[in-house]
Amino acid sequence: MSRPGFTITLERNSPPMMFNAGDRFHYEKLPEGTRVIYPPGPVDSLADPNVAIERALLEPFAMEPLHERLFLGMRLTIAFDDLSLPLPPMRRPDIRQLVIEKVLEKAHAKGVEDIHLIAALGLHRRMTEAELRHCLGDRIMSRFYPERLYNYDAEDPDGNVVIGETERGEEVSVGRRVAESDLLVYVNINYIPMDGGHKSVHTGLAPYSSIRHHHNPDTLSHTRSLMDPPNSAMHSSFNRMGRLLDENIKVFHIETTLNNAAFPSVFDFMAKPEHEWGPVTKANFLANHRATSIAPRRLSRRIFQSIKAPHRMTSVQAGATDPVHAETLKNSYEQMVVPVEGQSDVLLLGIPYLGPYNVNSIMNPLLVYNMLLGYLFNLYRGKPLVREGGVLIGTHPMPDEFHGVHHPSYVDLWNEVFPETNDIREIHQRYEEKYALDPWYKMLYRNSHAYHGVHPFTVLYWAAHALDHLGDAILVGGDPTTTKRMGLKRADSIAEALEMAQNTVGPSPSTTYMHIPPLFMCEVS
């Protein structure tokens, strides 16, 4: 059995705490009385993933077995999550390869020939051939790539179809190949509770005209939280779209969950409580701390981006989307949830080097903002770990660095819009449509490896709930210019940030440090 998550209260002689600060490490002693919450250990993995996959396909939820849905002459489409999941990328063989190979075996046995495989990108960048090969393996690539294995194209003028509108007027559009298939099999990796379910299709296989209905400031300000779908306005939109889709398209969903064994042994200090560090773990930390402190940022980034996670599959379920996802959420919460008593005046978080939008890339200032105020703030179920009007403190250098190929519209938004305003609602109203419809960004999205022109807007909107809830947000170690441009305060040390926080929450604040990575979430009583 795994070790459950736990909480400690720091005493005067407690060791300093390790914080991620992008591709650097921050190591600082926290005040006596600080509450530190540690993640659970990895839950038990499946003894034989291939046997479990076979069983899931034979015993699906609320549907007949997969092989009974396959027939000679049919049009079969298999869609799968792109490289934004899992984080870090997992060692080969990737779960997507294992699942899709099983699906293809059954299709071959039924004589199905018209098969397409689609990377469900949505508005993300196109995956490279090497990235697809890592996810799917050599056999699938050699058989299908590139004619029948390709990236979804949200801007193909003839490649998307309007299915209809929900009762709230939300346009439901999907790729034409999906709409014209006899069956869509969607293969999902669920690392956090935000993912999976109807979200998979309606972000991964949908164009901007559909995605704009759930990725906007108003919807995300009412998403409480991203990791708690029953209280998420965004997920409510997905579900409305999903109900309409299910009336028109047959979907067989296959979802998997992973444990949080996210780092190889040389990086074990990231997930191990400091008071459990032995000589080897201490040596690993000191070596990495020293190396990343003196290495050029480009080299340090390359080292971190090379990490492949020893994730293990903990469950696999298949069938109708809603009952499948209910089982997925149950298994995901078993790995991630830590019960916590009471909110805090101040919440401390280390910001990791990697998020879903900078795999093999650069975490630019907008993505740091998204990670702190979007992903990390929302790691809760029920109510936030930091009280309303409280202060969120993160650690990251937030350098003024961008990947020119992956994030061209980010660069322009940063240089053209942010000098005028960092108000996300004003940015939404004044600039979103211009960037979304710009032909240059569309061309780069379709033919290069650029995120869609509107993508930087969506990552900003993820902060909407945090901006409404918090009294202040402070970045420790952030570049003064970039931090100010993003609308954040900055400090040189955690001690200085905690002193600044008292101007917002008053003297002697209660302080909690959420010890990430690996990712986990809190259920606050």
Side-chain angles (χ1 to χ4, degrees), residues 349-454:
L349 287 163
I351 303 176
Y353 70 96
L354 184 64
Y357 315 127
N358 73 308
V359 177
N360 300 323
S361 191
I362 295 172
M363 185 176 280
N364 62 55
L366 281 71
L367 295 181
V368 176
Y369 183 88
N370 167 265
M371 182 60 65
L372 178 63
L373 296 174
Y375 275 92
L376 300 183
F377 170 80
N378 279 282
L379 286 172
Y380 72 87
R381 185 164 68 170
K383 56 185 177 181
L385 189 53
V386 59
R387 70 165 173 83
E388 188 171 1
V391 176
L392 180 64
I393 299 174
T395 56
H396 198 282
M398 196 186 263
D400 185 355
E401 296 180 3
F402 291 81
H403 195 295
V405 174
H406 294 166
H407 300 125
S409 61
Y410 281 74
V411 175
D412 292 343
L413 189 68
W414 177 249
N415 290 322
E416 297 172 4
V417 174
F418 270 89
E420 297 183 19
T421 180
N422 54 35
D423 183 287
I424 64 171
R425 286 175 171 81
E426 183 179 354
I427 290 173
H428 169 68
Q429 292 169 359
R430 291 178 57 188
Y431 298 102
E432 179 184 299
E433 188 170 314
K434 173 187 173 184
Y435 276 66
L437 303 180
D438 187 282
W440 175 248
Y441 298 139
K442 288 184 181 182
M443 188 278 293
L444 294 176
Y445 164 81
R446 298 194 67 196
N447 300 297
S448 181
H449 293 280
Y451 283 82
H452 193 279
V454 82

Side-chain angles (χ1 to χ4, degrees), residues 326-361:
E327 184 70 12
T328 297
L329 286 176
K330 184 185 77 172
N331 290 312
S332 182
Y333 287 138
E334 180 184 351
Q335 171 65 92
M336 293 198 71
V337 172
V338 178
V340 176
E341 186 176 340
Q343 293 176 298
S344 185
D345 295 319
V346 178
L347 175 60
L348 295 167
L349 287 163
I351 303 176
Y353 70 96
L354 184 64
Y357 315 127
N358 73 308
V359 177
N360 300 323
S361 191

